[in-house]
Amino acid sequence: MSKYILPVSVFGTVFGAAALLKNYVTGGRCPSKATINGKTVVVTGANTGIGKETARELARRGGRIIMGCRDLEKCEAAAKDIRGSTLNPNVYACHLDLASVKSVREFAERIKQAEQRVDVLINNAGVMRCPAGKTEDGFDMQFGVNHLGHFLLTNLLLDKLKESAPSRVINLSSLAHIVGKIDFEDLNWEKKKFDTKQAYCQSKLANVLFTRELAKRLQGTGVTANAVHPGVVATELGRHTGLHQSQFSSSVLSPFFSMLVKSPELGAQSSVYLAVSEEMEGVTGRYYDVMTEKEPAPQALDEEAARRLWEERGQPVTSKPPTEVQSKGAQTVQEQRHGRRPALASGPPGGIMDLL
């Protein structure tokens, strides 16, 4: 029996060290044990990956969870799963397509009509390095979904967030923002050759700029806004990247990736931390790498770019009726089909809503 003690001890030591290393590299779990009973949380892209696990953990902590997803059938299945695993009946599925201004408006209106409060808005949904494509309203898909859709949703829910203050807005960005560049002359990739990687990086930089400008505009309201890079997480988001499609990467690199890439459950911990942690009370306009505050890239600190991005591509005009939005959205699509680029807003602030 004694001959097995050493091998077992060595294996246990190696396994334990590997687990500790991975926990350190990936950031570990949210240290806060705070509960959120009586609070309402809206999570976009919550039927899978980080979004689903964020919704699950916040449901476990007692929150009323509204899951906004493009595929309602999958969203309802995810909500059922979360209700079962957490024994929290207050988990709801709702249709939200961030590639459609009409859908974003309808989702926001349902929230405003049905919910008494919104304490936390987690803008989690996103697309990554997908092929060239346009949203329903004629915007570059990655810029439209990752930034514009969430920009519009956040602004439409601001009154509810202010009424529920202290409340929090959490925008999921990415480390990719450090190589991003906002091309104000061609945000929709209509003048230059499309680069799916740069399009993604631009959208993630926009997330950080939006967060900082939003925080500035919300000073004194009790609503905070922070951006977070959740780390490298094994989700469906990277399906267009081509990783693990070769035998070499699958067999040789996989062990290394497994040490660095975290599960969706671990990936959700940064969002949970920003949503519930007592330490985050009143903290706003910051960028977090997992659960550690970091200074973002220099271009993400450009206050003029943040202001311009807001005013040219997104000053909210919430009084426009849906019919007018649909009409102008259809006009934009028609212009796109005929090769005419939607004009940037000029003159009085109007931005994205002027384009629609």
Side-chain angles (χ1 to χ4, degrees):
M1 184 67 180
S2 60
K3 66 179 182 180
Y4 296 109
I5 294 178
L6 181 59
V8 170
S9 299
V10 171
F11 176 80
T13 301
V14 171
F15 182 81
L20 289 173
L21 177 61
K22 181 165 184 175
N23 191 63
Y24 172 77
V25 171
T26 59
R29 302 186 67 85
C30 171
S32 174
K33 304 301 180 185
T35 58
I36 53 172
N37 297 304
K39 293 188 176 183
T40 298
V41 181
V42 177
V43 186
T44 69
N47 66 290
T48 188
I50 296 175
K52 182 180 179 181
E53 295 309 317
T54 299
R56 190 193 306 278
E57 179 61 28
L58 295 177
R60 187 175 289 119
R61 292 173 184 254
R64 177 181 174 86
I65 312 300
I66 311 299
M67 303 165 62
C69 312
R70 183 175 60 84
D71 189 322
L72 187 56
E73 184 177 348
K74 290 182 179 179
C75 193
E76 288 174 338
K80 181 180 180 180
D81 174 46
I82 293 172
R83 288 193 295 268
S85 66
T86 64
L87 302 183
N88 181 343
N90 300 311
V91 180
Y92 305 96
C94 192
H95 180 258
L96 169 64
D97 183 355
L98 288 159
S100 164
V101 166
K102 178 176 180 289
S103 177
V104 173
R105 284 185 169 276
E106 290 174 346
F107 176 80
E109 189 59 33
R110 283 194 292 270
I111 297 296
K112 290 189 286 186
Q113 294 294 327
E115 301 300 322
Q116 294 183 351
R117 56 190 303 116
V118 174
D119 299 273
V120 183
L121 169 61
I122 303 179
N123 291 319
N124 165 84
V127 291
M128 178 181 180
R129 298 186 62 175
C130 55
K134 301 294 184 183
T135 67
E136 179 179 291
D137 307 285
F139 298 106
D140 167 62
M141 184 62 72
Q142 295 186 79
F143 190 72
V145 171
N146 296 347
H147 170 58
L148 293 179
H150 283 130
F151 176 96
L152 177 58
L153 176 62
T154 303
N155 276 279
L156 293 175
L157 294 180
L158 274 186
D159 286 343
K160 188 68 72 173
L161 285 159
K162 291 176 183 177
E163 292 169 5
S164 309
S167 52
R168 305 179 185 187
V169 177
I170 299 160
N171 296 320
L172 268 74
S173 183
S174 168
L175 188 63
H177 86 276
I178 65 175
V179 292
K181 177 185 176 183
I182 304 295
D183 184 352
F184 286 104
E185 301 306 314
D186 192 19
L187 285 169
N188 291 303
W189 296 87
E190 292 162 343
K191 293 182 176 180
K192 57 185 178 292
K193 183 179 179 181
F194 181 75
D195 184 323
T196 185
K197 178 181 178 181
Q198 283 302 314
Y200 177 71
C201 295
Q202 174 181 249
S203 72
K204 294 291 100 179
L205 174 58
N207 292 154
V208 183
L209 289 168
F210 166 51
T211 300
R212 291 175 57 81
E213 183 69 13
L214 178 64
K216 182 186 298 184
R217 293 173 183 244
L218 289 176
Q219 287 180 358
T221 66
V223 184
T224 61
N226 293 289
V228 62
H229 163 56
V232 183
V233 186
T235 70
E236 295 178 2
L237 182 66
R239 61 186 176 275
H240 297 296
T241 62
L243 290 176
H244 302 310
Q245 292 185 0
S246 70
Q247 184 176 357
F248 174 77
S249 63
S250 297
S251 59
V252 178
L253 299 181
S254 285
F256 296 98
F257 279 123
S258 66
M259 288 301 300
L260 299 174
V261 178
K262 60 180 87 174
S263 66
E265 181 184 6
L266 276 178
Q269 298 305 306
S270 53
S271 297
V272 173
Y273 173 74
L274 267 61
V276 308
S277 175
E278 301 90 342
E279 298 174 10
M280 292 301 301
E281 188 67 41
V283 176
T284 190
R286 312 290 177 80
Y287 169 79
Y288 286 80
D289 186 332
V290 190
M291 287 175 277
T292 302
E293 183 185 347
K294 297 282 183 70
E295 184 170 286
Q299 63 268 36
L301 299 173
D302 187 334
E303 294 185 1
E304 175 58 25
R307 181 202 62 78
R308 184 179 178 187
L309 181 66
W310 182 292
E311 294 184 353
E312 290 196 352
R313 305 300 289 183
Q315 185 71 11
V317 184
T318 58
S319 60
K320 285 189 176 182
T323 52
E324 184 177 350
V325 173
Q326 293 174 39
S327 174
K328 289 199 173 186
Q331 180 180 353
T332 301
V333 172
Q334 287 298 322
E335 290 178 350
Q336 178 63 37
R337 288 173 179 169
H338 289 86
R340 296 195 295 273
R341 174 175 173 268
L344 286 174
S346 58
I352 178 178
M353 301 322 301
D354 279 352
L355 297 182
L356 301 173

